[in-house]
Amino acid sequence: MKVNLPKVLIGTSLVYFLLPYLLFFYYWFFNPLNIALVILLIVLAWYYIFYLKFLQIPIINVKIKSLLIMAIIALFWTIFTGTGGLVAQTFDFRGQQAKMFDLYNSQWPLIYDYNNLEIIYYFGYYLTPAFLMKILGQYSSVIFVANTFMGLYLSLLWIYLLVNK
């Protein structure tokens, strides 16, 4: 069995990168601007997918074995970077996870009491997993690891596609 990599990769990447923007625009901007920005992003994504149907994208078939090898590489890379606390982490990583914990625990937009300003720095990476944790009602390293794995896996697939093996 083979998979047509370009079309699957484009669609998956679009969803993966669109979600944090949708969350950020919806929660960090005021009404009605937030609704307008979310609608604009959805319309642009829909237009892009619609336009993509008419493009002549060369078909690159990839064996399932190659996809699995890249998935294993992405999984090991995710685990050994310290994501989710599965192995030793650097001090910076623990600090970044504290930000995600704040995103999970607090209402959005996130505002710290000490300065009463909205926090917007460096949260794109954390918004989707924090949102999923909020929906599930519990903090979960598995969601954080899965999100990081997906980003690394997509990166490896893009590299594979661009260098064509």
Side-chain angles (χ1 to χ4, degrees):
M1 181 174 151
K2 294 184 178 186
V3 177
N4 182 353
L5 185 60
K7 287 191 177 194
V8 172
L9 187 55
I10 289 169
T12 307
S13 297
L14 180 65
V15 170
Y16 181 81
F17 289 111
L18 186 64
L19 284 174
Y21 284 100
L22 290 171
L23 292 168
F24 180 76
F25 286 165
Y26 183 76
Y27 287 102
W28 265 259
F29 286 83
F30 297 112
N31 283 326
L33 182 59
N34 65 345
I35 302 298
L37 288 170
V38 167
I39 291 171
L40 177 65
L41 276 180
I42 291 171
V43 167
L44 289 174
W46 177 84
Y47 177 76
Y48 182 75
I49 290 171
F50 179 77
Y51 179 73
L52 203 57
K53 290 180 180 179
F54 298 105
L55 288 178
Q56 297 297 324
I57 299 174
I59 296 173
I60 298 174
N61 289 316
V62 181
K63 294 178 182 175
I64 296 296
K65 181 181 176 183
S66 298
L67 294 175
L68 289 174
I69 289 170
M70 286 184 277
I72 290 168
I73 292 169
L75 182 61
F76 279 113
W77 192 347
T78 301
I79 290 169
F80 288 113
T81 60
T83 303
L86 301 173
V87 298
Q89 298 178 322
T90 64
F91 179 74
D92 182 59
F93 215 132
R94 285 178 274 169
Q96 298 303 326
Q97 282 185 311
K99 289 179 184 177
M100 190 179 73
F101 189 74
D102 285 348
L103 279 171
Y104 163 71
N105 266 340
S106 304
Q107 285 187 314
W108 293 357
L110 182 58
I111 300 173
Y112 286 139
D113 292 335
Y114 74 91
N115 63 3
N116 205 30
L117 296 174
E118 293 179 3
I119 306 299
I120 59 172
Y121 171 73
Y122 211 94
F123 283 163
Y125 173 55
Y126 302 105
L127 282 178
T128 303
F131 183 73
L132 292 173
M133 290 175 202
K134 280 180 174 285
I135 289 173
L136 294 176
Q138 70 180 41
Y139 187 87
S140 171
S141 293
V142 173
I143 293 173
F144 189 46
V145 169
N147 184 66
T148 302
F149 163 78
M150 191 64 184
L152 288 172
Y153 188 50
L154 287 172
S155 299
L156 289 175
L157 291 173
W158 274 109
I159 291 168
Y160 181 89
L161 179 71
L162 293 174
V163 298
N164 201 13
K165 297 184 189 180

